[in-house]
Amino acid sequence: MTEPQKRISSIRADRVLGEFGYEVEFPGSSDNNRMRLIYAPNGRGKTNFLRAIHAALTASPEALQALIEIPLARLEITFADGGSILVERAQHLVGSYSATATLHPNEQGISINVDPADFAGRLYRLFIGDDRLAPPTDDVREGTRPDGGSLAGNRRRHGSLTRLLDTVERMLTQSALASLSRESAQTGIYNQITRTTLQGSSELTASEARAALEAQITGLLEQGTPLEQYQLLSMRQLRDIATQLGGVRANNRQLPIVHLILKPYLDSLADQINSLAPAYQLIDTYVKGVNRFLDRKELQFTAPRGIRLVGRDGKSLHPEGLSSGERHLLLLLSQAVLATSDSPLVIVDEPELSLGLEWQRDLLSELLRCSQSGNVQFLIASHSVQIMGAVPREDIVQPSEAP
């Protein structure tokens, strides 16, 4: 979950482009309050507003320099715990400004004055968006690398979408490995088996032992089988045990001993499944979210192999070879998933570009679903009627105009 002190409660900007004001409120943490949509005709400063927020929330020399050229008089970002970031200019809309960061409302903030003379030259140019129309930087023929090898298991290419998918892949895999690591440190299965075996015979009758084993195994198979599709866990051994139990008589005298020995293993497996549940939910939401949009191709994920894109013929597809809309969709959903770990606010400028009408209608709900585990907030600027139709009217922000 996003830490409370990182959650944004409000954003206000005055005199963007010298004329327009924006005020955005995030009053709560539910899904209904995680997304705000900005609508305004062209030339009302939407992109400048988003660029200013991005720069103000980025602690770097490049961000400080970017703010020099963004035309506004004042920007204030307030956090849920009362902390704030304030950027303001005394006179001109561009150039020198002061920035103040306050951790808590009753504490004195840290202030700096920034002047264009502090920077020898333009360090970089900030874009909020993606490279969906940029040509691939290398050979993107399906199923092959430039050296003739297979793409499967080796997607380390130079395209930005490929690098982004590699980052998502690492995040999903590390989430699963971290879950298993926590479980392994806590369970001590062999220690439990040793202890229960040394305790002696079970107090259960043969029929009671069999019923208890069958009930626990059935429950574990129901909970654990979905994890197998992403190869997070194998239930093969448990199925073999269930088959063996099904082949013995209900009054077999060895059943109480079998129950005594298997109980620690079954309890450990239950701990594994519970530990992996958050990782499974994150992976499942992302994979199904992407595939809800894709047609005639599919995104796949397994813990051993990572992320793959495949066509309906089963052959691997290179991410940079997708259509502009497909690449844009993957970029947006991937960023939403990555934000669950470290970014309380995701800023998107005109997400509808390159997307068909049906995708535009479903996009915002999918962004919320993919990011639900991190309680991520979204600030989106759009001209699309389809996009706006997916957001309650009260969540649409329009600029005010200076008298």
Side-chain angles (χ1 to χ4, degrees):
M1 299 295 286
T2 302
E3 298 177 26
Q5 63 269 27
K6 289 185 179 181
R7 284 194 53 78
I8 292 171
S9 60
S10 66
I11 305 171
R12 178 174 177 173
D14 298 330
R15 296 180 62 207
V16 181
L17 299 181
E19 300 182 65
F20 306 103
Y22 286 90
E23 190 163 355
V24 181
E25 300 285 343
F26 289 100
S29 59
S30 68
D31 262 9
N32 293 333
N33 291 311
R34 288 200 292 124
M35 183 175 286
R36 292 294 179 268
L37 180 70
I38 299 171
Y39 170 75
N42 290 324
R44 298 300 193 272
K46 298 186 303 297
T47 298
N48 280 293
F49 176 50
L50 297 183
R51 293 176 65 228
I53 297 168
H54 181 277
L57 292 172
T58 305
S60 70
E62 293 87 351
L64 292 175
Q65 188 182 28
L67 281 166
I68 291 172
E69 297 182 7
I70 300 176
L72 53 75
R74 189 176 187 274
L75 172 70
E76 184 173 20
I77 303 172
T78 304
F79 298 91
D81 67 345
S84 66
I85 294 174
L86 176 64
V87 175
E88 55 186 348
R89 291 185 169 96
Q91 297 178 348
H92 305 290
L93 295 177
V94 295
S96 302
Y97 64 89
S98 66
T100 303
T102 305
L103 296 178
H104 301 287
N106 297 325
E107 294 183 3
Q108 184 176 359
I110 301 172
S111 298
I112 59 170
N113 293 313
V114 179
D115 188 275
D118 297 335
F119 299 92
R122 181 73 167 162
L123 296 180
Y124 81 124
R125 182 166 295 279
L126 171 68
F127 292 97
I128 298 177
D130 66 274
D131 65 346
R132 57 189 174 277
L133 300 180
T137 57
D138 51 14
D139 188 349
V140 295
R141 289 173 295 173
E142 294 183 6
T144 61
R145 297 199 316 264
D147 62 4
S150 171
L151 276 177
N154 191 335
R155 292 185 298 98
R156 308 306 180 217
R157 307 287 289 281
H158 300 299
S160 63
L161 179 57
T162 301
R163 292 194 297 270
L164 179 63
L165 289 177
D166 288 340
T167 303
V168 174
E169 178 183 296
R170 287 194 298 272
M171 175 190 179
L172 299 180
T173 303
Q174 288 170 3
S175 175
L177 291 174
S179 299
L180 287 173
S181 177
R182 288 193 298 271
E183 184 279 329
S184 298
Q186 295 169 359
T187 303
I189 178 174
Y190 293 107
N191 178 51
Q192 292 185 41
I193 290 175
T194 301
R195 183 171 61 253
T196 55
T197 303
L198 291 175
Q199 287 175 350
S201 60
S202 171
E203 297 179 356
L204 299 177
T205 65
S207 59
E208 289 172 341
R210 177 171 181 163
L213 286 170
E214 288 178 340
Q216 189 170 10
I217 289 172
T218 298
L220 289 173
L221 287 173
E222 290 177 357
Q223 297 172 42
T225 298
L227 279 67
E228 289 186 298
Q229 65 181 310
Y230 303 119
Q231 297 184 30
L232 300 175
L233 199 63
S234 172
M235 307 299 288
R236 181 182 58 80
Q237 185 170 246
L238 191 63
R239 292 191 183 93
D240 291 343
I241 292 172
T243 299
Q244 293 181 59
L245 285 174
V248 300
R249 297 192 305 263
N251 62 350
N252 189 303
R253 284 184 288 177
Q254 301 303 316
L255 284 170
I257 298 175
V258 172
H259 177 269
L260 191 71
I261 295 173
L262 286 182
K263 187 67 165 60
Y265 162 68
L266 299 179
D267 290 344
S268 172
L269 189 56
D271 287 342
Q272 279 186 303
I273 293 171
N274 290 334
S275 295
L276 283 167
Y280 164 77
Q281 189 62 43
L282 185 66
I283 294 166
D284 192 61
T285 301
Y286 175 69
V287 171
K288 290 182 177 177
V290 170
N291 289 329
R292 192 171 286 117
F293 291 86
L294 295 182
D295 180 41
R296 304 166 72 87
K297 53 184 67 71
E298 180 183 28
L299 183 141
Q300 299 176 351
F301 175 86
T302 61
R305 298 186 65 177
I307 290 175
R308 294 179 65 223
L309 284 163
V310 298
R312 57 179 179 171
D313 58 359
K315 293 183 179 179
S316 294
L317 303 175
H318 194 280
E320 311 301 335
L322 300 178
S323 72
S324 61
E326 290 169 335
R327 297 205 306 273
H328 188 40
L329 174 78
L330 272 172
L331 182 144
L332 292 172
L333 295 184
S334 297
Q335 292 288 8
V337 167
L338 290 173
T340 61
S341 65
D342 59 7
S343 300
L345 179 69
V346 173
I347 300 171
V348 188
D349 193 10
E350 299 188 20
E352 66 270 16
L353 298 180
S354 297
L355 301 185
L357 296 181
E358 184 177 350
W359 285 17
Q360 290 180 36
R361 283 194 294 269
D362 297 335
L363 175 63
L364 298 193
S365 61
E366 203 58 54
L367 288 175
L368 286 171
R369 189 167 19 251
C370 282
S371 61
Q372 188 172 20
S373 64
N375 211 13
V376 177
Q377 296 172 291
F378 291 87
L379 185 58
I380 296 172
S382 175
H383 294 286
S384 167
V385 173
Q386 306 298 328
I387 294 285
M388 287 189 289
V391 176
R393 186 186 260 319
E394 60 270 20
D395 293 343
I396 298 177
V397 177
Q398 294 184 276
S400 59
E401 194 163 348

